[in-house]
């Protein structure tokens, strides 16, 4: 699964987000594939589940105000409204 994560203002917040996603139920591994401007692309390996289930879990992350913008096949595009301090 590919996750496009927009409005990622700071690389350290991207790393924090990546570490949180890695431990979501059903995720076996995460890799930051690119980071340019305010958009990061992560690749996620799933043990189980699907793109829609994963998107719902991502939107439900405590302290991260995220909104799913698109789900298409193995792609999730999300926007971070505001990152935790």
């Amino acid at each position: 699964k590919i996750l496009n994560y927009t409005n990622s203002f700071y690389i350290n917040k991207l790393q924090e987000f990546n570490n949180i996603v890695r431990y979501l139920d059903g995720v076996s591994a995460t890799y930051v594939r690119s980071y340019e401007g305010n958009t990061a692309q992560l690749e996620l390996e799933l043990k189980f589940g699907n793109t829609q289930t994963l998107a719902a879990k991502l939107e439900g992350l405590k302290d991260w105000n995220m909104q799913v913008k698109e789900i298409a096949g193995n792609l999730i595009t999300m926007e971070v409204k505001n990152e935790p301090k």
Side-chain angles (χ1 to χ4, degrees):
K1 309 292 181 202
I2 301 294
L3 170 64
N4 288 323
Y5 163 72
T6 60
N7 289 350
S8 175
F9 302 115
Y10 306 105
I11 193 71
N12 62 332
K13 289 296 181 184
L14 172 60
Q15 188 59 43
E16 179 184 335
F17 177 74
N18 188 46
N19 289 337
I20 290 168
V21 171
R22 180 178 294 139
Y23 294 105
L24 285 177
D25 192 31
V27 176
S28 60
T30 64
Y31 311 95
V32 176
R33 292 298 180 206
S34 68
Y35 178 74
E36 182 178 342
N38 69 343
T39 301
Q41 186 176 78
L42 285 74
E43 181 177 347
L44 311 175
E45 292 181 14
L46 299 182
K47 294 182 266 190
F48 56 85
N50 59 38
T51 308
Q52 292 164 332
T53 303
L54 177 60
K57 289 178 184 179
L58 291 165
E59 267 195 339
L61 285 175
K62 185 178 179 179
D63 298 329
W64 290 80
N65 185 7
M66 301 182 72
Q67 180 181 13
V68 173
K69 294 299 207 178
E70 177 184 9
I71 300 173
N74 286 336
L75 175 70
I76 301 171
T77 301
M78 302 193 78
E79 181 177 357
V80 178
K81 297 297 187 182
N82 63 317
E83 295 178 332
K85 305 287 184 239

Coordinates of all heavy atoms in Angstrom, one line a residue:
K1 N 0.8 -1.2 0.0 CA 0.0 0.0 0.0 C 0.9 1.2 0.0 O 1.9 1.3 0.7 CB -0.9 0.0 1.2 CG -1.7 -1.2 1.5 CD -2.7 -1.5 0.5 CE -3.5 -2.7 0.8 NZ -4.1 -3.3 -0.3
I2 N 0.5 2.2 -0.7 CA 1.2 3.5 -0.8 C 0.4 4.6 -0.1 O -0.8 4.7 -0.3 CB 1.5 3.9 -2.2 CG1 2.3 2.9 -3.0 CG2 2.2 5.3 -2.3 CD1 3.7 2.7 -2.5
L3 N 1.0 5.3 0.8 CA 0.3 6.4 1.5 C 1.0 7.7 1.2 O 2.2 7.9 1.4 CB 0.4 6.1 3.0 CG 0.0 7.3 4.0 CD1 -1.5 7.6 3.8 CD2 0.3 6.9 5.4
N4 N 0.3 8.6 0.6 CA 0.7 10.0 0.3 C 0.3 10.8 1.5 O -0.9 10.9 1.8 CB 0.2 10.5 -1.0 CG 0.9 9.9 -2.2 OD1 2.0 9.6 -2.2 ND2 0.1 9.6 -3.2
Y5 N 1.2 11.4 2.1 CA 0.9 12.2 3.4 C 1.3 13.6 3.1 O 2.4 14.0 2.9 CB 1.8 11.5 4.5 CG 2.1 12.2 5.7 CD1 1.1 12.4 6.7 CD2 3.4 12.7 6.0 CE1 1.4 13.0 7.9 CE2 3.7 13.3 7.2 CZ 2.7 13.4 8.2 OH 3.0 14.0 9.4
T6 N 0.3 14.5 3.0 CA 0.6 15.9 2.6 C 0.5 16.8 3.9 O -0.1 16.5 4.9 CB -0.4 16.4 1.6 OG1 -1.7 16.4 2.1 CG2 -0.3 15.6 0.3
N7 N 1.1 18.0 3.7 CA 1.3 18.9 4.8 C 2.2 18.4 5.9 O 2.0 18.7 7.1 CB -0.1 19.4 5.4 CG -0.8 20.3 4.4 OD1 -0.3 20.7 3.4 ND2 -2.1 20.5 4.7
S8 N 3.2 17.7 5.5 CA 4.2 17.2 6.4 C 5.3 18.3 6.5 O 6.2 18.4 5.7 CB 4.8 15.9 5.9 OG 5.9 15.5 6.7
F9 N 5.2 19.2 7.5 CA 6.0 20.4 7.6 C 7.4 20.1 8.0 O 8.3 20.8 7.7 CB 5.4 21.4 8.4 CG 4.0 21.8 8.0 CD1 2.9 21.5 8.8 CD2 3.8 22.4 6.8 CE1 1.6 21.9 8.3 CE2 2.5 22.8 6.3 CZ 1.4 22.5 7.1
Y10 N 7.6 19.1 8.9 CA 8.9 18.9 9.5 C 9.3 17.4 9.3 O 8.5 16.5 9.6 CB 8.9 19.2 10.9 CG 8.5 20.7 11.2 CD1 7.2 20.9 11.7 CD2 9.3 21.7 10.9 CE1 6.8 22.2 11.9 CE2 8.8 23.0 11.1 CZ 7.6 23.3 11.6 OH 7.2 24.5 11.8
I11 N 10.5 17.2 8.9 CA 11.0 15.8 8.8 C 10.9 15.0 10.1 O 10.6 13.8 10.0 CB 12.4 15.7 8.1 CG1 12.8 14.3 7.6 CG2 13.4 16.3 9.1 CD1 12.0 13.9 6.4
N12 N 11.2 15.6 11.2 CA 11.1 14.9 12.5 C 9.6 14.4 12.8 O 9.4 13.4 13.3 CB 11.7 15.7 13.6 CG 11.0 17.0 13.9 OD1 10.4 17.6 13.0 ND2 11.0 17.4 15.2
K13 N 8.6 15.2 12.3 CA 7.2 14.8 12.5 C 6.9 13.7 11.6 O 6.1 12.8 11.9 CB 6.3 16.0 12.3 CG 6.3 17.0 13.4 CD 5.9 16.4 14.7 CE 5.9 17.5 15.8 NZ 5.5 16.9 17.1
L14 N 7.5 13.7 10.4 CA 7.3 12.6 9.5 C 7.8 11.3 10.1 O 7.2 10.2 10.0 CB 8.0 12.8 8.1 CG 8.1 11.7 7.1 CD1 6.7 11.2 6.8 CD2 8.8 12.1 5.9
Q15 N 9.0 11.4 10.7 CA 9.6 10.2 11.3 C 8.7 9.7 12.5 O 8.5 8.5 12.7 CB 11.0 10.5 11.8 CG 11.7 9.2 12.3 CD 11.9 8.2 11.3 OE1 12.2 8.5 10.1 NE2 11.6 6.9 11.6
E16 N 8.2 10.6 13.3 CA 7.3 10.3 14.3 C 6.0 9.6 13.8 O 5.6 8.6 14.3 CB 6.9 11.5 15.1 CG 5.9 11.3 16.3 CD 5.5 12.6 16.9 OE1 6.3 13.6 16.9 OE2 4.4 12.6 17.5
F17 N 5.4 10.2 12.7 CA 4.3 9.6 12.1 C 4.6 8.2 11.6 O 3.8 7.3 11.8 CB 3.8 10.5 11.0 CG 2.6 9.9 10.2 CD1 1.4 10.0 10.8 CD2 2.8 9.4 8.9 CE1 0.3 9.5 10.1 CE2 1.7 8.9 8.2 CZ 0.4 8.9 8.8
N18 N 5.7 8.0 10.9 CA 6.1 6.7 10.4 C 6.2 5.7 11.5 O 5.7 4.5 11.3 CB 7.4 6.8 9.7 CG 7.8 5.6 8.9 OD1 7.0 5.0 8.2 ND2 9.1 5.2 9.1
N19 N 6.8 6.1 12.6 CA 6.9 5.1 13.8 C 5.5 4.8 14.3 O 5.3 3.6 14.7 CB 7.7 5.7 14.9 CG 9.2 5.8 14.5 OD1 9.7 5.0 13.6 ND2 9.9 6.7 15.1
I20 N 4.6 5.7 14.4 CA 3.2 5.4 14.9 C 2.5 4.4 13.9 O 1.9 3.5 14.3 CB 2.4 6.7 15.0 CG1 3.0 7.5 16.2 CG2 0.9 6.4 15.2 CD1 2.5 8.9 16.3
V21 N 2.6 4.7 12.6 CA 1.9 3.9 11.6 C 2.5 2.5 11.6 O 1.7 1.5 11.5 CB 2.0 4.5 10.2 CG1 1.5 3.6 9.1 CG2 1.3 5.8 10.1
R22 N 3.8 2.3 11.8 CA 4.4 1.0 11.9 C 3.8 0.1 12.9 O 3.7 -1.1 12.7 CB 5.9 1.2 12.2 CG 6.7 -0.1 12.3 CD 8.1 0.2 12.5 NE 8.7 0.9 11.4 CZ 9.6 1.9 11.5 NH1 10.0 2.3 12.6 NH2 10.0 2.4 10.4
Y23 N 3.2 0.6 14.0 CA 2.6 -0.2 15.0 C 1.1 -0.3 15.0 O 0.5 -0.8 15.9 CB 3.1 0.3 16.4 CG 4.6 0.1 16.5 CD1 5.5 1.1 16.4 CD2 5.1 -1.2 16.7 CE1 6.9 0.9 16.5 CE2 6.5 -1.5 16.8 CZ 7.3 -0.4 16.7 OH 8.7 -0.6 16.8
L24 N 0.5 0.2 13.9 CA -0.9 0.0 13.8 C -1.2 -1.5 13.5 O -0.5 -2.2 12.9 CB -1.5 0.8 12.5 CG -1.6 2.3 12.7 CD1 -2.1 2.9 11.4 CD2 -2.6 2.7 13.8
D25 N -2.4 -1.9 14.1 CA -2.8 -3.3 13.9 C -2.9 -3.6 12.4 O -3.6 -2.9 11.7 CB -4.1 -3.5 14.6 CG -4.5 -4.9 14.7 OD1 -3.6 -5.8 14.9 OD2 -5.7 -5.2 14.7
G26 N -2.2 -4.6 12.0 CA -2.3 -5.1 10.6 C -1.1 -4.6 9.7 O -0.9 -5.1 8.6
V27 N -0.3 -3.7 10.2 CA 0.8 -3.2 9.5 C 2.1 -3.9 9.9 O 2.4 -4.0 11.1 CB 1.0 -1.6 9.7 CG1 2.3 -1.1 9.0 CG2 -0.2 -0.9 9.2
S28 N 2.8 -4.5 8.9 CA 4.0 -5.2 9.3 C 5.3 -4.4 9.1 O 6.3 -4.7 9.7 CB 4.1 -6.5 8.5 OG 4.1 -6.3 7.1
A29 N 5.3 -3.4 8.2 CA 6.5 -2.6 7.9 C 6.1 -1.3 7.2 O 5.0 -1.3 6.5 CB 7.4 -3.4 7.0
T30 N 6.9 -0.3 7.4 CA 6.7 1.0 6.7 C 8.0 1.5 6.2 O 9.1 1.3 6.8 CB 6.1 2.1 7.7 OG1 7.0 2.3 8.7 CG2 4.8 1.6 8.2
Y31 N 8.0 2.2 5.1 CA 9.2 2.7 4.5 C 8.8 4.1 3.9 O 7.9 4.3 3.2 CB 9.6 1.9 3.3 CG 9.7 0.4 3.6 CD1 8.7 -0.5 3.3 CD2 10.9 -0.1 4.2 CE1 8.8 -1.8 3.6 CE2 11.0 -1.5 4.6 CZ 9.9 -2.3 4.3 OH 10.0 -3.6 4.6
V32 N 9.7 5.1 4.2 CA 9.5 6.4 3.6 C 10.2 6.3 2.3 O 11.4 6.1 2.2 CB 10.1 7.5 4.5 CG1 10.0 8.9 3.8 CG2 9.5 7.6 5.9
R33 N 9.4 6.5 1.2 CA 9.9 6.4 -0.2 C 10.3 7.8 -0.7 O 11.2 7.8 -1.5 CB 8.8 5.8 -1.1 CG 8.6 4.3 -0.7 CD 9.9 3.5 -0.9 NE 9.7 2.1 -0.6 CZ 10.6 1.3 -0.3 NH1 11.8 1.8 -0.1 NH2 10.4 0.1 0.0
S34 N 9.6 8.8 -0.3 CA 10.0 10.1 -0.8 C 9.5 11.2 0.1 O 8.5 11.0 0.9 CB 9.5 10.4 -2.2 OG 8.1 10.5 -2.3
Y35 N 10.2 12.4 0.1 CA 9.7 13.5 0.9 C 10.2 14.8 0.1 O 11.3 15.0 -0.1 CB 10.4 13.5 2.3 CG 10.1 14.7 3.1 CD1 8.8 14.8 3.7 CD2 11.0 15.7 3.3 CE1 8.5 15.9 4.5 CE2 10.7 16.8 4.1 CZ 9.5 16.9 4.7 OH 9.2 18.0 5.5
E36 N 9.2 15.5 -0.4 CA 9.4 16.7 -1.2 C 8.4 17.7 -0.9 O 7.2 17.4 -0.9 CB 9.4 16.3 -2.7 CG 9.7 17.4 -3.6 CD 9.8 17.0 -5.1 OE1 9.9 15.8 -5.4 OE2 9.6 17.9 -5.9
G37 N 8.9 19.0 -0.7 CA 7.9 20.0 -0.4 C 7.2 19.7 0.9 O 7.8 19.5 1.9
N38 N 5.9 19.6 0.8 CA 5.1 19.3 2.0 C 4.4 17.9 1.8 O 3.4 17.6 2.5 CB 4.1 20.4 2.3 CG 3.0 20.4 1.3 OD1 3.1 19.9 0.2 ND2 1.9 21.1 1.6
T39 N 5.0 17.1 1.0 CA 4.3 15.7 0.7 C 5.4 14.6 0.9 O 6.5 14.7 0.4 CB 3.8 15.7 -0.7 OG1 2.8 16.7 -0.9 CG2 3.1 14.3 -0.9
A40 N 4.9 13.6 1.7 CA 5.8 12.5 1.9 C 5.0 11.3 1.3 O 3.8 11.2 1.4 CB 6.0 12.2 3.4
Q41 N 5.8 10.3 0.8 CA 5.2 9.1 0.3 C 5.7 7.9 1.2 O 6.9 7.7 1.2 CB 5.4 8.8 -1.1 CG 4.7 7.6 -1.7 CD 4.9 7.5 -3.2 OE1 5.9 7.0 -3.6 NE2 3.9 7.9 -3.9
L42 N 4.8 7.1 1.8 CA 5.2 6.0 2.6 C 4.7 4.7 1.9 O 3.6 4.7 1.4 CB 4.7 6.1 4.0 CG 5.3 7.0 5.0 CD1 4.9 8.5 4.6 CD2 4.9 6.7 6.4
E43 N 5.5 3.7 2.0 CA 5.0 2.4 1.5 C 4.8 1.5 2.8 O 5.6 1.5 3.7 CB 6.1 1.7 0.6 CG 5.6 0.3 0.1 CD 6.6 -0.3 -0.8 OE1 7.5 0.4 -1.3 OE2 6.5 -1.5 -1.1
L44 N 3.6 0.9 2.8 CA 3.2 0.1 4.0 C 3.0 -1.4 3.5 O 2.4 -1.6 2.5 CB 1.9 0.6 4.6 CG 1.8 2.1 4.9 CD1 0.5 2.5 5.4 CD2 2.9 2.5 5.9
E45 N 3.6 -2.3 4.3 CA 3.3 -3.7 4.1 C 2.2 -4.1 5.1 O 2.4 -3.8 6.3 CB 4.5 -4.5 4.3 CG 5.6 -4.3 3.2 CD 6.8 -5.2 3.3 OE1 6.8 -6.1 4.1 OE2 7.8 -4.9 2.6
L46 N 1.2 -4.8 4.7 CA 0.1 -5.2 5.6 C 0.2 -6.7 5.9 O 0.4 -7.5 4.9 CB -1.2 -4.8 5.0 CG -1.5 -3.4 4.7 CD1 -2.9 -3.2 4.2 CD2 -1.3 -2.5 6.0
K47 N -0.1 -7.0 7.1 CA -0.2 -8.5 7.5 C -1.6 -8.9 7.1 O -1.8 -10.0 6.7 CB 0.0 -8.7 9.0 CG 1.4 -8.4 9.5 CD 1.5 -8.7 10.9 CE 1.3 -7.4 11.7 NZ 1.6 -7.4 13.1
F48 N -2.6 -8.0 7.3 CA -4.0 -8.3 7.0 C -4.7 -7.0 6.9 O -4.2 -5.9 7.2 CB -4.6 -9.2 8.1 CG -4.6 -8.6 9.5 CD1 -5.5 -7.7 9.9 CD2 -3.5 -9.0 10.3 CE1 -5.4 -7.1 11.2 CE2 -3.5 -8.4 11.6 CZ -4.4 -7.5 12.1
G49 N -5.9 -7.0 6.4 CA -6.7 -5.8 6.2 C -6.6 -5.3 4.7 O -6.0 -5.9 3.9
N50 N -7.2 -4.2 4.5 CA -7.2 -3.6 3.2 C -7.1 -2.1 3.2 O -6.9 -1.5 4.3 CB -8.5 -4.0 2.4 CG -9.8 -3.5 3.1 OD1 -9.8 -2.4 3.7 ND2 -10.8 -4.3 3.1
T51 N -7.0 -1.5 2.1 CA -6.8 0.0 2.0 C -7.8 0.8 2.8 O -7.5 1.7 3.5 CB -6.7 0.4 0.5 OG1 -5.8 -0.4 -0.2 CG2 -6.3 1.8 0.4
Q52 N -9.1 0.4 2.7 CA -10.1 1.2 3.4 C -10.0 1.0 4.9 O -10.2 2.0 5.6 CB -11.5 0.7 2.9 CG -11.7 1.1 1.4 CD -12.9 0.3 0.8 OE1 -13.2 -0.8 1.2 NE2 -13.5 0.9 -0.2
T53 N -9.8 -0.1 5.4 CA -9.6 -0.4 6.8 C -8.4 0.4 7.3 O -8.5 1.1 8.4 CB -9.4 -1.9 7.1 OG1 -10.5 -2.6 6.6 CG2 -9.2 -2.1 8.6
L54 N -7.3 0.4 6.6 CA -6.1 1.2 7.0 C -6.4 2.7 7.0 O -6.0 3.4 7.9 CB -5.0 0.8 6.0 CG -3.7 1.6 6.2 CD1 -3.1 1.3 7.6 CD2 -2.6 1.3 5.2
A55 N -7.1 3.2 6.0 CA -7.4 4.6 5.9 C -8.2 5.0 7.1 O -8.0 6.1 7.7 CB -8.2 4.9 4.6
A56 N -9.2 4.2 7.5 CA -10.0 4.5 8.7 C -9.1 4.5 10.0 O -9.3 5.4 10.8 CB -11.1 3.4 8.9
K57 N -8.2 3.6 10.1 CA -7.3 3.6 11.3 C -6.4 4.8 11.3 O -6.2 5.4 12.3 CB -6.4 2.3 11.2 CG -7.2 1.1 11.6 CD -6.3 -0.1 11.5 CE -7.1 -1.4 11.7 NZ -6.2 -2.6 11.7
L58 N -6.0 5.3 10.1 CA -5.1 6.4 10.0 C -5.9 7.7 10.4 O -5.4 8.6 11.1 CB -4.5 6.6 8.6 CG -3.5 5.5 8.2 CD1 -3.2 5.5 6.8 CD2 -2.2 5.8 9.0
E59 N -7.1 7.8 9.9 CA -8.0 9.0 10.3 C -8.3 9.0 11.8 O -8.4 10.1 12.3 CB -9.3 8.9 9.5 CG -9.2 9.7 8.2 CD -10.6 10.0 7.7 OE1 -11.6 9.3 8.0 OE2 -10.7 10.9 6.9
G60 N -8.3 7.8 12.4 CA -8.6 7.8 13.8 C -7.4 7.9 14.8 O -7.6 7.8 16.0
L61 N -6.2 8.2 14.2 CA -5.0 8.3 15.1 C -5.2 9.5 16.0 O -5.5 10.6 15.6 CB -3.8 8.6 14.2 CG -3.2 7.3 13.5 CD1 -2.0 7.8 12.7 CD2 -2.7 6.3 14.5
K62 N -5.1 9.2 17.3 CA -5.2 10.2 18.3 C -4.1 11.3 18.1 O -3.0 11.0 17.8 CB -5.1 9.6 19.7 CG -5.3 10.5 20.8 CD -5.2 9.9 22.2 CE -5.5 10.9 23.2 NZ -5.4 10.4 24.5
D63 N -4.5 12.5 18.3 CA -3.6 13.7 18.2 C -3.2 14.1 16.8 O -2.4 15.0 16.6 CB -2.3 13.5 19.1 CG -2.6 13.4 20.6 OD1 -3.6 14.0 21.0 OD2 -1.9 12.7 21.3
W64 N -3.6 13.3 15.8 CA -3.3 13.7 14.4 C -4.6 14.0 13.7 O -5.4 13.1 13.5 CB -2.6 12.5 13.7 CG -1.2 12.3 14.2 CD1 -0.8 11.6 15.4 CD2 0.0 12.7 13.6 NE1 0.5 11.6 15.5 CE2 1.1 12.3 14.5 CE3 0.3 13.5 12.5 CZ2 2.4 12.6 14.2 CZ3 1.7 13.7 12.2 CH2 2.7 13.3 13.0
N65 N -4.8 15.2 13.3 CA -6.0 15.6 12.6 C -5.8 15.3 11.1 O -5.3 16.2 10.4 CB -6.3 17.1 12.9 CG -7.6 17.5 12.3 OD1 -8.4 16.7 11.8 ND2 -7.9 18.8 12.4
M66 N -6.2 14.1 10.7 CA -5.9 13.7 9.3 C -7.2 13.5 8.6 O -8.2 13.1 9.2 CB -5.1 12.4 9.3 CG -3.8 12.6 10.0 SD -2.8 11.1 9.9 CE -2.4 11.1 8.2
Q67 N -7.2 13.7 7.3 CA -8.4 13.5 6.5 C -8.0 12.7 5.2 O -7.0 13.1 4.5 CB -9.0 14.9 6.1 CG -10.2 14.7 5.2 CD -10.8 16.1 4.8 OE1 -10.2 17.1 5.0 NE2 -12.0 16.0 4.3
V68 N -8.7 11.7 4.9 CA -8.5 10.9 3.7 C -9.0 11.7 2.6 O -10.2 12.2 2.6 CB -9.2 9.5 3.8 CG1 -9.1 8.8 2.4 CG2 -8.6 8.7 4.9
K69 N -8.2 11.9 1.6 CA -8.6 12.7 0.4 C -8.9 11.7 -0.8 O -9.7 12.0 -1.6 CB -7.4 13.6 -0.1 CG -7.1 14.7 0.9 CD -8.4 15.6 1.1 CE -8.0 17.0 1.4 NZ -9.2 17.8 1.5
E70 N -8.2 10.5 -0.8 CA -8.5 9.6 -1.9 C -8.0 8.2 -1.5 O -7.0 8.0 -0.8 CB -7.6 10.1 -3.1 CG -7.7 9.1 -4.3 CD -6.8 9.5 -5.5 OE1 -5.9 10.4 -5.3 OE2 -6.9 8.9 -6.5
I71 N -8.8 7.2 -1.9 CA -8.5 5.8 -1.9 C -8.6 5.3 -3.2 O -9.7 5.3 -3.8 CB -9.3 5.1 -0.9 CG1 -9.2 5.6 0.6 CG2 -9.0 3.6 -0.9 CD1 -10.2 5.0 1.5
A72 N -7.6 4.7 -3.8 CA -7.7 4.2 -5.2 C -6.7 3.0 -5.2 O -5.5 3.1 -5.2 CB -7.2 5.2 -6.2
G73 N -7.3 1.8 -5.3 CA -6.5 0.6 -5.3 C -5.6 0.4 -4.1 O -6.1 0.4 -3.0
N74 N -4.3 0.5 -4.3 CA -3.4 0.4 -3.2 C -2.9 1.7 -2.7 O -1.9 1.8 -2.1 CB -2.2 -0.5 -3.6 CG -2.6 -2.0 -3.6 OD1 -3.5 -2.4 -3.0 ND2 -1.9 -2.7 -4.4
L75 N -3.5 2.8 -3.1 CA -3.1 4.2 -2.8 C -4.0 4.9 -1.8 O -5.3 4.8 -2.1 CB -3.0 5.0 -4.1 CG -2.6 6.4 -3.9 CD1 -1.2 6.6 -3.5 CD2 -2.8 7.2 -5.2
I76 N -3.5 5.5 -0.8 CA -4.3 6.3 0.1 C -3.6 7.7 0.1 O -2.4 7.8 0.3 CB -4.2 5.8 1.5 CG1 -4.8 4.4 1.6 CG2 -5.0 6.8 2.5 CD1 -4.6 3.7 3.0
T77 N -4.4 8.7 -0.2 CA -3.9 10.1 -0.1 C -4.6 10.8 1.1 O -5.8 10.8 1.1 CB -4.1 10.9 -1.4 OG1 -3.5 10.2 -2.5 CG2 -3.6 12.3 -1.3
M78 N -3.7 11.3 2.0 CA -4.3 11.9 3.2 C -3.7 13.3 3.4 O -2.5 13.5 3.0 CB -3.9 11.1 4.4 CG -4.4 9.7 4.4 SD -4.3 8.8 6.0 CE -5.7 9.6 6.8
E79 N -4.4 14.1 4.0 CA -3.9 15.5 4.4 C -3.9 15.6 5.9 O -4.9 15.3 6.6 CB -4.8 16.5 3.8 CG -4.3 17.9 4.0 CD -5.2 19.0 3.4 OE1 -6.1 18.6 2.6 OE2 -4.9 20.2 3.6
V80 N -2.8 16.1 6.4 CA -2.7 16.4 7.8 C -3.2 17.9 8.0 O -2.6 18.8 7.5 CB -1.3 16.2 8.3 CG1 -1.2 16.6 9.8 CG2 -0.8 14.8 8.1
K81 N -4.2 18.1 8.8 CA -4.8 19.4 9.0 C -3.9 20.2 10.0 O -3.7 21.3 9.8 CB -6.2 19.3 9.6 CG -7.2 18.7 8.6 CD -7.3 19.5 7.3 CE -8.4 19.0 6.5 NZ -8.5 19.7 5.2
N82 N -3.4 19.5 11.0 CA -2.5 20.1 11.9 C -1.7 18.9 12.6 O -2.3 17.9 13.0 CB -3.1 21.0 13.0 CG -4.1 20.3 13.9 OD1 -4.9 19.5 13.4 ND2 -4.0 20.6 15.2
E83 N -0.4 19.1 12.7 CA 0.4 18.0 13.3 C 0.5 18.3 14.8 O 0.5 19.4 15.3 CB 1.8 18.0 12.7 CG 1.8 17.6 11.2 CD 3.1 17.7 10.6 OE1 4.0 18.5 11.1 OE2 3.3 16.9 9.6
P84 N 0.6 17.2 15.6 CA 0.8 17.4 17.1 C 2.1 18.1 17.4 O 3.0 18.1 16.6 CB 0.9 16.0 17.6 CG 1.1 15.1 16.4 CD 0.7 15.8 15.2
K85 N 2.1 18.9 18.4 CA 3.2 19.6 18.8 C 4.3 18.8 19.4 O 4.1 17.8 19.9 CB 2.9 20.7 19.9 CG 1.7 21.6 19.4 CD 2.2 22.6 18.4 CE 1.1 23.5 18.0 NZ 0.7 23.5 16.6

